[in-house]
């Protein structure tokens, strides 16, 4: 559920920002932004799952990604970061890279 910060009867933790470091060979792309894919999901005791899909461009068959998500405690207005450990990005076997961005794969 996405709520207004003034919704006093509904307290939880609202995702406000994201920071990603995408490693593609020797290159690192930094992605910073508000929310995730235009949403600001709230995590609370009775919340429903928030599931989304996203993608990032890589020019090789594998890479890595790590970063952090910033949340705001809606009852105290304090902000804190949650670290997302490094994980691998892999193009599945049988798939191929498309030279969409003008980079050879």
């Amino acid at each position: 559920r996405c709520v207004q910060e003034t919704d006093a009867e509904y307290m939880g933790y609202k995702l406000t920002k994201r920071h990603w470091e995408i490693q593609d060979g020797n290159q690192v792309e930094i992605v910073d932004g508000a929310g995730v894919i235009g949403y600001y999901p709230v995590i609370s005791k009775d919340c429903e799952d928030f599931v989304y899909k996203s993608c990032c461009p890589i020019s090789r068959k594998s890479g890595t990604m790590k970063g952090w998500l910033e949340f705001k405690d809606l009852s105290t207005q304090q902000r804190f970061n949650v670290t997302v450990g490094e994980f691998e990005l892999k193009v599945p076997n049988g798939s191929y890279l498309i030279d969409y961005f003008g980079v050879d794969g």
Side-chain angles (χ1 to χ4, degrees):
R1 173 178 175 205
C2 294
V3 298
Q4 298 296 318
E5 294 176 22
T6 57
D7 190 355
E9 79 271 1
Y10 190 84
M11 295 297 159
Y13 303 98
K14 183 177 182 178
L15 192 152
T16 56
K17 294 182 185 176
R18 70 189 183 290
H19 170 86
W20 296 116
E21 298 171 21
I22 304 163
Q23 178 89 34
D24 184 13
N26 293 327
Q27 301 212 29
V28 176
E29 180 179 355
I30 304 296
V31 177
D32 288 302
V36 288
I37 64 166
Y39 293 97
Y40 300 86
V42 172
I43 297 172
S44 71
K45 180 180 160 189
D46 299 320
C47 72
E48 295 178 23
D49 291 346
F50 178 80
V51 178
Y52 75 97
K53 292 182 183 181
S54 185
C55 63
C56 64
I58 59 173
S59 62
R60 291 164 178 73
K61 293 243 178 195
S62 67
T64 61
M65 192 167 163
K66 64 181 177 180
W68 51 261
L69 302 171
E70 180 188 88
F71 287 87
K72 179 167 57 171
D73 183 326
L74 295 178
S75 61
T76 66
Q77 305 305 306
Q78 290 184 316
R79 295 174 187 265
F80 60 94
N81 290 347
V82 175
T83 300
V84 178
E86 186 172 272
F87 57 94
E88 192 170 12
L89 303 170
K90 291 178 98 174
V91 176
N93 288 335
S95 299
Y96 56 92
L97 296 170
I98 298 172
D99 187 14
Y100 183 78
F101 296 98
V103 177
D104 293 331

